[in-house]
Amino acid sequence: GTTSCRVSPIVREVHDITTLADLQAFANAWVETLQPGDLITLSGELGAGKTTFVKAIVTAMGGDPDGVQSPTFSLLHHYPCSTPVIHIDAYRLEGVDDAMRTGIPDVLNEESPTSITFVEWPEKVPQLWGPVSAHILFQEVASTETQKKQRTLTIESSFPS
């Protein structure tokens, strides 16, 4: 048989997050859309909320948020949840060869199909990640009215139609 290739439409949503409670509420709802095998890339400046978001997701999936830390030095963490979560921080990777040495591609091949994978700093080695289910951009916005820091989460995802 012939396989027809359809390009999934990109869905773009923007969410304004003011408090940690907002973030948790968003994570609780958004986690319902995730499936094993999904890979989500997270971009944004240092301190923009990428790891905090993974913490909220792990909480939403019944895991222990206290175990969630940015894997800047270990590069990779596993969190036991209702579906296992893999958390990768590519910030220190110097390219594909470096990534190969760390064993990250092996984890992606062997474990990602049964897990949900989050990648911080994916742009460091863009060729590593394969199909991305969703890309989230974290931006910090200072609200002029409240002087509180707000975060804007822009999510681009392609869902099979």
Side-chain angles (χ1 to χ4, degrees):
T2 58
T3 54
S4 68
C5 180
R6 280 208 312 272
V7 176
S8 303
I10 298 288
V11 181
R12 194 164 182 273
E13 316 166 29
V14 179
H15 299 269
D16 288 323
I17 305 286
T18 312
T19 65
L20 282 173
D22 291 348
L23 186 68
Q24 190 61 59
F26 170 74
N28 292 350
W30 198 67
V31 84
E32 300 294 320
T33 68
L34 300 177
Q35 294 170 343
D38 280 350
L39 185 137
I40 294 97
T41 52
L42 310 174
S43 293
E45 297 297 311
L46 285 166
K50 299 181 296 294
T51 300
T52 306
F53 178 70
V54 174
K55 214 178 252 233
I57 291 282
V58 165
T59 302
M61 294 177 66
D64 176 10
D66 294 337
V68 178
Q69 288 160 340
S70 183
T72 309
F73 295 102
S74 57
L75 301 173
L76 187 131
H77 288 164
H78 289 87
Y79 309 123
C81 297
S82 51
T83 300
V85 171
I86 299 171
H87 185 191
I88 296 171
D89 184 336
Y91 187 70
R92 290 174 59 245
L93 293 178
E94 299 289 333
V96 176
D97 292 348
D98 194 28
M100 290 298 195
R101 277 194 294 277
T102 65
I104 285 176
D106 297 333
V107 170
L108 290 171
N109 289 336
E110 291 157 26
E111 299 177 39
S112 273
T114 55
S115 307
I116 296 170
T117 305
F118 290 88
V119 181
E120 296 190 32
W121 301 99
E123 51 280 351
K124 292 283 181 177
V125 263
Q127 54 278 73
L128 213 58
W129 313 119
V132 171
S133 312
H135 176 71
I136 307 184
L137 176 64
F138 293 76
Q139 289 162 302
E140 223 172 20
V141 200
S143 161
T144 42
E145 295 146 41
T146 60
Q147 301 304 314
K148 271 190 184 164
K149 275 189 187 166
Q150 272 186 311
R151 290 189 167 76
T152 305
L153 273 52
T154 305
I155 303 178
E156 293 187 349
S157 51
S158 51
F159 292 107
S161 46

